[in-house]
Amino acid sequence: MNNECHSMEPLIYLYRNGELSPPEKRTILNHTATCSHCREILSQLHDFDLTLQPLREEQPLLSPASQSIINETMSRILHANTSVTRVSGTEEVIERFAIWLKPAIGITLTALSILFTVQQSVDVRKVSRMEENINLRTITLQRANAKEQLNIRSFGSERLLNKEAINGYLPHFEASIPVPFLMSGLSDLFQHDTGLLEELAKKYPDIATITLDDGLDEREKQILSTEGNALLKDIEQLIHQGEQKQ
Amino acid sequence: MMLSVSDIQDRKIPELIHRSLEGDHHAFRSLLELEHKYAYFLAIRILRDEHSACDVVQEAFIRVWNNLDRYKPEIKFTTWLYKIVVNLCYDKIKMETRRRKIFGSLDALREKEAEDIADGNDPGLAIDRRELCDRIIAAAEDLPPMERIVFHLRDIMDMTVSEVAEVVGISEPSVKANLCYARKRIRNVVIAMQKEPL
């Protein structure tokens, strides 16, 4: 089989009527006139064609088993209760849309629920952390207050209520601790009735106007240097009186 | 003018389809009675198995019933029906071919051997026509799915190349290419069988 035979092969196998164009038929005829190999192939193919001819003329016959095709098919159709009612074009579009819409809605709702739950848990954690921080700060503040109260008591019991001690003591106060703390500290220190403090407050009204939040301005320093000094002296006297009575 | 059976059928079919679309089961049964033999004939030729052919025909008509609203009257009903039958046969053959590939890997080797033997052909060997027919059909069963279907539609059912292209859903050049390969394989196998020692 030479190269020309190889190129002819696709045409040789399309030997039946209507498969080749007239020019292609002429090409094959010309080639097979001189090539015995391809002529033999063509001859065998024609032989096969003749052999198959009776099959083409056979009328379709059904065996007894295949007779039941009709009954079984109709039974399946009726059993399935398939409706032939055709929907309108719009309804069909809506139906097709609905087919994927339902799962899409389901998935979206599920995703939103998950996101909500996650966000809630994140918020809860944030809130609890904030609460913890607040509690910690409150405790710290309370401890600081208690410590300061302790300092004042010990400070007072050692009779270190002099000008320098108070000036040295003042920085112990945090800037946020207001004057009422000083008054309550003095109350504890002297264990007097509120009458004494009221008298002292009346006697030294300017001291009550001093605030420690923003430090001491010139006016406040002036008040402390005058009324404050006087208050110290009064307290010294009271302490001295109290010792003598004992 | 005497009408042929096919003429009568051609006139009745559109009416039966129209009534079936309105839900008339009796009309559909009549349609089934008219056309099922040809569908079965096609399926049995391709599949060579009665049980498989019955399954295919049943399934084909179920699909016709379910998709009757998509049938276009400009196409011949038998062409549409054959399309469905051929597609179902194709699926069955593919499954069968896959199963064979799993359990038997000698097909390619046998094919090569058959080709080698056929190339050294001996025109002198005679063979009984009936036996030759059986051998051709047997050889066709080993063809790849598409070649097998194209061969049966063209060489057994005697459809034209354009009808085969319409039913199978491929181009006419593709039909011719598949025919060429199918006939070559069958020839090689048949010639090799003829030369087998007794």
Side-chain angles (χ1 to χ4, degrees):
Chain A
M1 199 176 192
N2 56 36
N3 287 338
E4 197 186 350
C5 293
H6 274 296
S7 64
M8 287 291 132
E9 201 176 64
L11 299 181
I12 288 173
Y13 282 96
L14 296 174
Y15 61 93
R16 293 190 71 204
N17 282 340
E19 291 173 4
L20 292 175
S21 64
E24 286 170 335
K25 274 185 191 170
R26 274 197 296 277
T27 305
I28 290 296
L29 285 172
N30 290 338
H31 175 74
T32 53
T34 55
C35 176
S36 60
H37 175 77
C38 291
R39 193 166 54 242
E40 186 52 42
I41 294 174
L42 199 54
S43 170
Q44 287 166 349
L45 292 172
H46 280 298
D47 200 37
F48 289 175
D49 198 37
L50 282 172
T51 304
L52 294 173
Q53 189 59 37
L55 286 182
R56 295 172 196 141
E57 291 160 3
E58 255 181 33
Q59 288 301 312
L61 288 171
L62 293 173
S63 69
S66 55
Q67 296 282 349
S68 63
I69 285 176
I70 296 173
N71 290 334
E72 283 179 22
T73 305
M74 289 311 299
S75 168
R76 277 176 67 181
I77 287 172
L78 291 167
H79 192 69
N81 201 24
T82 310
S83 170
V84 210
T85 306
R86 310 294 164 198
V87 297
S88 70
T90 311
E91 285 171 346
E92 195 175 340
V93 168
I94 293 170
E95 259 185 35
R96 285 185 185 171
F97 183 71
I99 286 169
W100 65 264
L101 184 61
K102 285 174 194 170
I105 290 173
I107 290 166
T108 307
L109 285 173
T110 307
L112 285 171
S113 304
I114 292 168
L115 278 170
F116 181 72
T117 308
V118 167
Q119 187 59 43
Q120 284 290 89
S121 69
V122 165
D123 288 344
V124 161
R125 270 190 245 123
K126 273 186 191 170
V127 166
S128 71
R129 259 187 259 125
M130 281 168 62
E131 283 176 349
E132 270 178 40
N133 287 340
I134 289 170
N135 287 339
L136 272 170
R137 286 191 185 181
T138 306
I139 290 166
T140 306
L141 192 59
Q142 284 172 350
R143 282 180 186 164
N145 289 346
K147 192 178 172 184
E148 292 305 330
Q149 288 196 9
L150 198 62
N151 286 343
I152 288 175
R153 286 195 191 113
S154 62
F155 187 74
S157 69
E158 290 171 6
R159 299 182 205 174
L160 292 175
L161 284 174
N162 53 39
K163 182 180 171 182
E164 290 77 17
I166 292 217
N167 285 342
Y169 175 69
L170 279 176
H172 289 164
F173 284 96
E174 289 183 12
S176 58
I177 299 176
V179 169
F181 176 78
L182 174 62
M183 300 308 289
S184 69
L186 286 171
S187 170
D188 288 340
L189 175 67
F190 294 114
Q191 296 180 6
H192 279 280
D193 292 336
T194 52
L196 170 65
L197 290 177
E198 281 173 2
E199 284 184 26
L200 288 173
K202 280 179 200 168
K203 194 174 176 184
Y204 305 105
D206 289 336
I207 287 180
T209 67
I210 295 173
T211 58
L212 301 173
D213 291 350
D214 51 355
L216 296 170
D217 59 23
E218 289 303 317
R219 182 191 72 84
E220 288 165 337
K221 284 178 185 172
Q222 182 67 30
I223 292 167
L224 281 170
S225 67
T226 52
E227 288 187 13
N229 273 323
L231 173 62
L232 271 175
K233 284 178 184 166
D234 284 345
I235 291 171
E236 269 182 12
Q237 278 178 356
L238 286 169
I239 291 170
H240 186 65
Q241 285 170 16
E243 283 174 344
Q244 279 182 339
K245 281 178 186 173
Q246 284 173 11
Chain B
M1 185 181 75
M2 283 288 287
L3 291 171
S4 64
V5 171
S6 63
D7 287 338
I8 294 169
Q9 283 179 342
D10 287 347
R11 286 185 181 195
K12 278 182 97 171
I13 287 171
E15 186 198 325
L16 291 172
I17 290 171
H18 179 73
R19 281 166 51 195
S20 299
L21 275 168
E22 288 172 353
D24 186 348
H25 291 131
H26 297 293
F28 189 75
R29 189 185 178 100
S30 301
L31 187 63
L32 194 57
E33 284 166 357
L34 273 177
E35 298 294 327
H36 78 284
K37 279 189 295 189
Y38 302 98
Y40 177 79
F41 190 57
L42 174 59
I44 195 81
R45 280 275 177 259
I46 295 173
L47 298 173
R48 313 299 300 170
D49 178 72
E50 195 176 297
H51 184 72
S52 299
C54 286
D55 281 349
V56 161
V57 172
Q58 267 192 44
E59 184 58 36
F61 277 98
I62 300 285
R63 288 191 186 191
V64 165
W65 172 257
N66 287 336
N67 295 288
L68 213 49
D69 57 330
R70 291 181 194 168
Y71 167 65
K72 291 171 191 163
E74 51 268 27
I75 301 171
K76 233 178 129 180
F77 179 76
T78 40
T79 304
W80 188 55
L81 175 63
Y82 283 178
K83 252 183 151 160
I84 296 171
V85 170
V86 162
N87 282 334
L88 289 167
C89 288
Y90 186 76
D91 292 340
K92 273 212 184 279
I93 292 170
K94 271 201 302 188
M95 268 171 49
E96 197 186 293
T97 308
R98 232 175 271 141
R99 214 179 294 127
R100 264 194 243 156
K101 272 189 183 161
I102 292 166
F103 295 108
S105 56
L106 299 176
D107 291 348
L109 181 62
R110 271 176 31 207
E111 207 174 291
K112 183 70 179 69
E113 283 175 355
E115 194 172 331
D116 291 342
I117 292 167
D119 273 347
N121 62 62
D122 182 353
L125 288 170
I127 191 168
D128 180 67
R129 188 80 59 195
R130 185 69 215 169
E131 196 179 331
L132 178 59
C133 185
D134 290 342
R135 287 184 176 184
I136 292 170
I137 299 300
E141 286 185 35
D142 282 338
L143 291 172
M146 184 56 76
E147 288 178 25
R148 182 167 159 182
I149 284 175
V150 167
F151 173 78
H152 274 285
L153 292 178
R154 175 71 182 125
D155 285 350
I156 310 293
M157 303 291 291
D158 208 20
M159 288 186 187
T160 63
V161 170
S162 60
E163 282 173 343
V164 174
E166 173 74 40
V167 167
V168 178
I170 59 177
S171 65
E172 289 189 22
S174 285
V175 171
K176 289 182 183 180
N178 278 285
L179 264 180
C180 179
Y181 295 134
R183 287 167 179 169
K184 187 177 177 188
R185 278 190 229 261
I186 289 172
R187 180 190 161 260
N188 290 338
V189 169
V190 169
I191 300 293
M193 275 195 251
Q194 287 173 258
K195 290 181 181 177
E196 274 170 7
L198 295 170

